[in-house]
Amino acid sequence: MLIFSTKGKITPANDKTNIVHKFTVPENTAVLKIKYQYSPKTLQDREKAVNIIHACFERYEETLQGRPADFLPVKNLVTLSLDCMGEYRGAAHRQGNIQEHIIAPGFASPGFIKAPVRAGEWDVVLNVHSVSCDVEYSINIEGETEQ
């Protein structure tokens, strides 16, 4: 059963922030299946990407060795973490922009804690590491009941 679904937009103004979405897990839920994706993965505007590369080198007071093109593409990175009633349940700090994760007592996707799925308020958190253009995202969370 679908227990949570949302779509949204992340802009460069959201860079280096966290976006929290709250959802409620019903009683007798044994498994959570999280489907998450965002797009685009890379900044397509080459001129803007080169300007970002130059700005990064200036910010860190480094000298650009080679051509800016050597550092392309500029990638967006938005990862996902999960909390259950204030308790950390794990994170998927991966490069992929299409992800699926499972949380269950006997199995959890890498980065998440294997433990019973408790009923109550949970947070799915988007960790915005780097966003150089507008990014659209979607999160769908399904629950499976105990058999």
Side-chain angles (χ1 to χ4, degrees), residues 2-3 33 35 40 56 63 65-66 86 90 97 107 111 136 143-144:
L2 184 65
I3 59 176
K33 292 184 177 181
K35 294 181 180 180
C56 286
T63 302
Q65 302 293 323
N97 63 321
F107 174 83
E136 302 282 337
E144 293 181 2

Side-chain angles (χ1 to χ4, degrees), residues 11-103:
T11 71
N14 303 115
D15 196 43
K16 312 286 185 286
T17 65
N18 294 312
I19 300 169
V20 179
H21 291 284
K22 295 189 176 300
F23 66 98
T24 302
V25 173
E27 293 288 338
N28 299 318
T29 302
V31 177
L32 293 179
K33 292 184 177 181
I34 302 167
K35 294 181 180 180
Y36 164 61
Q37 63 181 23
Y38 66 92
S39 182
K41 178 61 182 166
T42 60
L43 174 60
Q44 299 301 310
D45 183 332
R46 183 178 173 88
E47 183 178 344
K48 185 176 180 181
V50 167
N51 289 338
I52 288 170
I53 291 165
H54 280 295
C56 286
F57 275 89
E58 287 176 14
R59 182 181 318 129
Y60 295 106
E61 299 178 358
E62 295 288 333
T63 302
L64 177 62
Q65 302 293 323
R67 302 168 304 141
D70 295 339
F71 298 91
L72 294 174
V74 170
K75 295 180 182 179
N76 295 311
L77 179 60
V78 183
T79 64
L80 182 140
S81 60
L82 195 61
D83 300 312
C84 170
M85 293 174 275
E87 180 182 312
Y88 179 76
R89 289 298 299 263
H93 286 184
R94 300 181 190 24
Q95 287 289 330
N97 63 321
I98 299 173
Q99 302 179 19
E100 291 188 21
H101 307 289
I102 296 174
I103 312 296

